[in-house]
Structure formats: structure tokens, C-alpha cells
Amino acid sequence: MRLYEYLLDRRYSILYYLLLMSFVTAVIALDPARRVSADNILYINSVALFSFIVYLLGGYGFRRQFYRQISRSLEENTAEAAHSLPTPGSFEQKLFRQLLEKVYAGQRRELEGLNTRRKENLEFINSWVHEIKTPLATSHLLIENSRGSCPDGLLDSLEEEVSRMDGMVEQVLYYARMDDFARDYFIPGI
């Protein structure tokens, strides 16, 4: 954070200081009961301005280290960036850190859930592929063994195997649509 950015963030404090010092100067200068010289008014304003500048620069120095550490965390762009944040120096910084850690924990839980669902999907697909191989292999063997002749039960056996494959295909389609019900009603060409 540059000094300009810090001062821009503190613009309302600076405006308040200027208004307050203008009011104090006007009260002192316009009070008919007490005559204060212009030099004394200038001295009061100079001391107050110096004190305010020291206050602003001190606040900048205090926050600058914190902002540098945050900038380094952003540049590193690691998965653990939320835990590499600097120790908060104010209540506001503490609240923002807690908020970031809460968001990070929620994202991590969501990613873990997605990974679990991905693994379950992969296991299901692998299992399904192995299951579908059996009726396919059986159908191929029935066709291979009946070349040249057509036994009576061949068509029934093939129909049974095809029905089994159809059921498995329906099962995998149902499983694939479980997370996205909207795709069930998609009509191509409309």
C-alpha cells in the first residue's frame, strides 16, 4: 500500500480534521472577549497539523507492514494463502481474517465433496463398464457359436442379454442425471 492509497482511505478523517481546525480557528479568532494574536493561532494550527501528520504517518507505518505481508501472500498464490495471512493488528483486520478463513474452510469442504462425488462416479462407471462386458461377451459367443444354424433358444438368449444391456444403460443414464435434473427435459432441435 502506497502512502497515497492510505491517505485516500483516510480522506474522511482528513476532512474532519480540516473542518474541526477551521471551527477552532474561527472561534479563537472571532471571540471578542479574548484577543489572540494571529501568530498564536498559526502556532496552534501548526502544532495540531504536525500532530495529525505524525498520527497519519504512524498509522501508515503500522498498517504498511500488514499490507506488505498480505501482498506477499497474494503473490505466492498458494492453496494455503488463507493461513499465511499476517497476525491481525486491529479488530477490523481480525474480523476480515475470520471471514476469509470461514470462506476458505467452506470452499475446502465443497472441494472435498466434489472430489468424493467424482471418485464415486468413477467407481460407478468402472463397475458399470465391467458389468456391461458380460452381456456383450455372452451375445458375441451366442452369435459365434450359432453361425450357420439358428437354434430355437438363441433369439431368446440374445433378447435377454440385450434387455440386460438396455437396463444397464438406463441405470447409467439415471445415475448421470441425478445431479442435473434439468437435462432430462432437454429436447434437441427446439
Side-chain angles (χ1 to χ4, degrees):
M1 169 177 257
R2 286 179 258 138
L3 181 61
Y4 171 74
E5 294 166 329
Y6 175 77
L7 293 176
L8 194 60
D9 281 350
R10 302 290 177 250
R11 64 185 172 273
Y12 296 116
S13 297
I14 295 169
L15 180 64
Y16 173 75
Y17 167 79
L18 292 174
L19 291 173
L20 180 65
M21 287 311 296
S22 298
F23 175 74
V24 169
T25 301
V27 167
I28 292 173
L30 299 175
D31 186 6
R34 301 196 195 274
R35 288 314 263 162
V36 179
S37 69
D39 290 339
N40 284 342
I41 293 174
L42 183 62
Y43 177 74
I44 291 170
N45 281 320
S46 298
V47 169
L49 180 63
F50 178 77
S51 299
F52 187 62
I53 289 172
V54 167
Y55 167 76
L56 286 175
L57 291 177
Y60 173 69
F62 175 72
R63 287 174 181 83
R64 186 175 181 201
Q65 183 64 23
F66 182 78
Y67 293 136
R68 276 186 181 166
Q69 290 174 344
I70 288 177
S71 294
R72 267 185 261 142
S73 294
L74 287 173
E75 289 170 3
E76 290 173 4
N77 198 16
T78 63
E80 299 295 321
H83 297 296
S84 67
L85 291 174
T87 305
S90 68
F91 183 69
E92 179 184 27
Q93 292 171 356
K94 181 181 176 184
L95 287 177
F96 279 117
R97 181 178 178 141
Q98 289 173 350
L99 176 66
L100 285 173
E101 287 174 348
K102 188 174 184 177
V103 167
Y104 175 76
Q107 291 292 327
R108 190 180 60 230
R109 279 192 305 272
E110 189 174 324
L111 279 175
E112 287 170 357
L114 288 172
N115 280 334
T116 301
R117 283 196 300 274
R118 185 188 59 81
K119 286 177 185 176
E120 289 172 355
N121 284 343
L122 185 61
E123 288 173 10
F124 176 77
I125 293 298
N126 285 335
S127 169
W128 181 83
V129 166
H130 288 294
E131 289 286 328
I132 198 88
K133 281 182 175 181
T134 303
L136 283 172
T138 304
S139 298
H140 284 296
L141 281 175
L142 287 171
I143 292 169
E144 202 56 40
N145 289 337
S146 62
R147 291 243 189 250
S149 68
C150 186
D152 292 339
L154 176 66
L155 289 179
D156 290 337
S157 296
L158 280 175
E159 185 177 3
E160 183 181 313
E161 294 302 322
V162 169
S163 293
R164 218 170 123 202
M165 286 186 283
D166 188 43
M168 289 180 185
V169 168
E170 287 297 322
Q171 181 185 14
V172 83
L173 285 174
Y174 175 77
Y175 187 78
R177 291 182 194 141
M178 256 189 336
D179 289 337
D180 191 10
F181 187 68
R183 281 190 270 166
D184 281 350
Y185 294 105
F186 176 72
I187 301 171
I190 293 179

